[in-house]
């Protein structure tokens, strides 16, 4: 090899190694970029999930999950339904104990369960709007929000109920369109701070529901139970839970009375 060709060969080698170093560097940049993008997406998705699920805050409009008070006063609330077939099991225990409650009902169940609705009203309970179809309300259009809320208001008012009408989203879920609608219509959102998973597929025992409800209640709590659609374990828990809380000095009021 001549001196000139040796220099050319070294030059080519150094050129090749520079090219591969630059490829490695590009690959490293791409990996770092992808990792950063994934982390940002993950944090964003986590943040959105938190906003959807948090029960004590929403982006617009007033939301209440409990009330700050030293007084031993609480609101008992029942979600979904109602169902005529469960009306006596739910309403007799309340009537026997003189306890008012707040019922967040679904528009789709109101008309077909007229006797349950009638008794809820006659017994002096409060009624709230829990959407028409009980769909998840995080990723919905403004039209869907209106279609879930307004016909439900109309169905409740058509029963003759003329009391306060607060709103509770199914599963407590909301993101943007729902809170913006609620704020625009000056509508109060009411969630809860005491709930046991009495709606889950695996039915909890009455004792578990009673214990969890009583142990987690504090002054100003909003308690949530799901007694409709034949949930007998929850139905059987209502009376004993009320009795134990009364023994602890608690008084029961409707949501609107609690909020004042
Ligand atoms: Zn519900």
């Amino acid at each position: 090899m001549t001196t000139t060709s040796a220099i050319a060969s070294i030059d080519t080698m150094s050129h090749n190694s520079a090219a591969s170093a630059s490829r490695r560097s590009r690959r490293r940049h791409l990996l770092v970029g992808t990792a950063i993008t994934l982390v940002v997406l993950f944090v964003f998705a986590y943040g959105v999930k938190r906003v959807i699920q948090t029960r004590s805050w929403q982006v617009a409009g007033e939301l209440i999950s409990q009330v700050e008070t030293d007084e031993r006063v609480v609101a008992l609330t029942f979600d979904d339904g109602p169902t005529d077939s469960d009306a006596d099991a739910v309403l007799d225990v309340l009537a026997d104990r003189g306890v008012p409650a707040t019922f967040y009902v679904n528009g789709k169940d109101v008309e077909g369960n007229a006797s349950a609705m009638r008794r809820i009203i006659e017994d002096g309970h409060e009624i709230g709007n829990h959407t028409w179809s009980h769909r998840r309300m995080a990723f919905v259009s403004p039209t869907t929000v209106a279609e879930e809320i307004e016909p439900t208001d109309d169905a409740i008012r058509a029963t003759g109920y003329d009391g306060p009408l607060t709103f509770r989203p199914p599963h407590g879920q909301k993101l943007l369109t729902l809170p913006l609608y609620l704020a625009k219509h000056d509508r109060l959102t009411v969630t809860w701070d005491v709930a046991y998973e009495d709606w889950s597929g695996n039915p909890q025992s009455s004792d578990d529901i009673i214990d969890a409800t009583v142990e987690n209640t504090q002054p100003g709590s909003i308690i949530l139970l799901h007694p409709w659609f034949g949930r007998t374990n929850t139905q059987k828990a209502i009376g004993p839970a009320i009795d134990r809380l009364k023994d602890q000095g608690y008084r029961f009021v409707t949501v609107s009375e609690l909020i004042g």
Side-chain angles (χ1 to χ4, degrees):
M1 189 185 288
T2 64
T3 310
T4 317
S5 70
I7 289 167
S9 163
I10 289 164
D11 197 42
T12 308
M13 275 164 61
S14 89
H15 181 78
N16 283 349
S17 85
S20 88
S22 134
R23 266 200 307 277
R24 273 203 303 278
S25 155
R26 269 207 306 276
R27 211 177 303 135
R28 209 167 28 241
H29 275 118
L30 194 67
L31 276 173
V32 170
T34 307
I36 290 172
T37 306
L38 284 174
V39 167
V40 168
L41 281 176
F42 178 79
V43 169
F44 178 74
Y46 179 77
V48 168
K49 191 165 173 243
R50 286 293 299 269
V51 171
I52 290 171
Q53 291 184 334
T54 183
R55 292 194 313 271
S56 54
W57 180 83
Q58 64 186 3
V59 296
E62 195 183 354
L63 180 148
I64 283 177
S65 60
Q66 65 180 117
V67 168
E68 292 297 324
T69 175
D70 295 330
E71 210 189 325
R72 294 208 148 212
V73 61
V74 290
L76 184 55
T77 68
F78 297 103
D79 275 13
D80 312 338
T83 44
D84 278 352
S85 52
D86 300 290
D88 288 344
V90 175
L91 293 157
D92 284 351
V93 279
L94 300 176
D96 290 348
R97 291 163 176 79
V99 164
T102 304
F103 292 84
Y104 286 94
V105 299
N106 292 122
K108 69 179 172 59
D109 296 315
V110 167
E111 222 171 277
N113 294 279
S115 65
M117 288 298 291
R118 199 177 314 117
R119 183 148 179 217
I120 288 170
I121 297 164
E122 282 172 5
D123 287 3
H125 299 295
E126 186 170 315
I127 296 175
N129 183 325
H130 195 43
T131 71
W132 184 267
S133 68
H134 204 269
R135 66 179 294 163
R136 290 175 194 271
M137 297 290 281
F139 301 101
V140 288
S141 70
T143 309
T144 302
V145 172
E147 285 172 357
E148 286 288 335
I149 294 178
E150 289 163 18
T152 305
D153 283 345
D154 294 343
I156 293 168
R157 293 300 185 200
T159 64
Y161 175 76
D162 61 1
L165 204 46
T166 59
F167 176 79
R168 174 175 284 168
H171 312 282
Q173 293 189 353
K174 65 264 159 314
L175 187 58
L176 287 174
T177 48
L178 176 61
L180 290 172
Y181 173 96
L182 294 166
K184 185 176 164 201
H185 292 82
D186 203 15
R187 201 70 185 265
L188 178 66
T189 306
V190 177
T191 56
W192 60 88
D193 67 318
V194 179
Y196 191 56
E197 290 196 8
D198 64 333
W199 63 88
S200 66
N202 181 21
Q204 315 297 329
S205 76
S206 292
D207 284 342
D208 286 348
I209 297 169
I210 296 162
D211 289 345
T213 302
V214 173
E215 281 161 20
N216 292 307
T217 294
Q218 53 188 8
S221 277
I222 298 175
I223 301 166
L224 165 60
L225 290 170
H226 295 77
W228 306 108
F229 302 103
R231 291 210 180 87
T232 50
N233 286 356
T234 297
Q235 291 166 11
K236 284 186 218 144
I238 299 170
I242 291 172
D243 294 340
R244 275 175 56 183
L245 287 168
K246 279 189 161 183
D247 286 346
Q248 293 181 13
Y250 280 100
R251 187 166 62 83
F252 290 82
V253 294
T254 65
V255 157
S256 293
E257 286 165 343
L258 183 72
I259 292 161

